[in-house]
Amino acid sequence: MFEDFFEHRSFLINKYSNGNITKREFLKYNYDYFISVNARPFLKIDSYEKGLFNYQYYNGMAKYYKMLAKEVKNTKKHSRYYNYYLNLGNKYYDGKDESALAILKLQDFEDVQSYFIKCDSDYLKDSLYEIVLENKTEAIFHSKAEWLLKILKEKKVFDSDVKTSLIEEYINEKY
C-alpha cells in the first residue's frame, strides 16, 4: 500500500511541478485517490510512512472540503453546506497537524527546519509556517496551529526569520 501511495504522491507532485495540472486539480486528484482506495488514517503512527500517509490524507481532505466551502459560499446552498464543509475541513486540518507532530516525534525533532513563510495571502501572512524534514524526500509540511508552533519553539527547531517556501508557487496559488 505504501509503495502505491508514495508513487502516486510523487506522480502528482511532479505533474504539478511541471505545470501539467493546477493546484485545484492536484487537490481533486489527491482526494479522488484516497476515496478510490477507501483510505482511512492509521490509529497509531509508529513509522514515518504511516505518519506521512496520515498527513497527506488529512491535508487532502481538509483542502478538498475547504474548496467545497468556497464553492457554495455565495450560492443558495450557502446556509446549508458552507458551515458543514468548513467545519469538516477544520477537523481534518487538526488531524493533519497531529500527524505532523507524530512524524516530528518519530524523528526526535532531528534534521528539522521550521520557519514562517512569505505568503501572498493576507490571511496566511504571519501565521503559516513550513516544517522541512531535511533527511526525507518531499517532506515539507505546513501549519498555522499555535500549539504546534509552541512545541517547535520549545524544541528549538523554529527559526524566527521569514523565508520563502520551498514550494512557493504551490503555497501562493489560489484554488
Side-chain angles (χ1 to χ4, degrees):
M1 179 190 81
F2 287 128
E3 186 176 320
D4 181 56
F5 163 69
F6 280 103
E7 186 178 302
H8 187 266
R9 182 175 183 266
S10 290
F11 173 74
L12 286 181
I13 289 170
N14 285 334
K15 281 187 78 127
Y16 177 79
S17 297
N18 292 331
N20 296 327
I21 58 174
T22 65
K23 183 175 183 175
R24 184 178 186 80
E25 290 170 320
F26 177 89
L27 297 174
K28 178 75 169 94
Y29 292 148
N30 192 49
Y31 174 83
D32 289 345
Y33 169 78
F34 284 118
I35 296 301
S36 74
V37 298
N38 197 26
R40 297 291 176 261
F42 292 96
L43 296 177
K44 182 178 180 185
I45 298 175
D46 54 8
S47 71
Y48 169 74
E49 291 79 10
K50 287 180 180 178
L52 186 60
F53 182 89
N54 277 18
Y55 180 90
Q56 195 72 30
Y57 171 83
Y58 286 123
N59 192 47
M61 294 296 170
K63 284 184 171 32
Y64 181 77
Y65 284 107
K66 183 179 174 187
M67 187 169 62
L68 289 181
K70 284 181 186 179
E71 285 177 6
V72 299
K73 187 173 184 177
N74 296 316
T75 68
K76 291 177 189 173
K77 293 181 181 180
H78 168 71
S79 60
R80 203 174 323 149
Y81 294 105
Y82 176 73
N83 286 333
Y84 173 74
Y85 290 146
L86 206 56
N87 289 334
L88 196 53
N90 287 335
K91 180 186 115 186
Y92 283 122
Y93 275 127
D94 291 342
K96 172 195 68 99
D97 293 331
E98 291 288 343
S99 298
L101 177 60
I103 292 168
L104 293 168
K105 285 179 177 178
L106 283 170
Q107 291 234 158
D108 200 27
F109 291 86
E110 305 244 340
D111 298 316
V112 174
Q113 281 188 49
S114 57
Y115 42 82
F116 284 116
I117 55 175
K118 296 175 189 171
C119 299
D120 292 345
S121 163
D122 288 335
Y123 175 72
L124 295 174
K125 220 171 259 181
D126 301 323
S127 65
L128 185 66
Y129 53 92
E130 188 163 81
I131 304 166
V132 179
L133 304 185
E134 298 171 317
N135 60 350
K136 304 287 186 199
T137 304
E138 299 172 344
I140 303 168
F141 311 120
H142 295 94
S143 183
K144 296 186 325 173
E146 291 288 329
W147 64 266
L148 183 54
L149 178 61
K150 182 180 176 195
I151 293 170
L152 293 168
K153 288 178 177 179
E154 287 171 359
K155 295 294 185 179
K156 299 188 183 337
V157 295
F158 190 82
D159 183 349
S160 59
D161 293 340
V162 177
K163 299 180 181 182
T164 300
S165 172
L166 296 178
I167 54 174
E168 178 185 19
E169 184 178 319
Y170 177 82
I171 291 297
N172 288 312
E173 183 179 342
K174 294 184 189 288
Y175 60 96

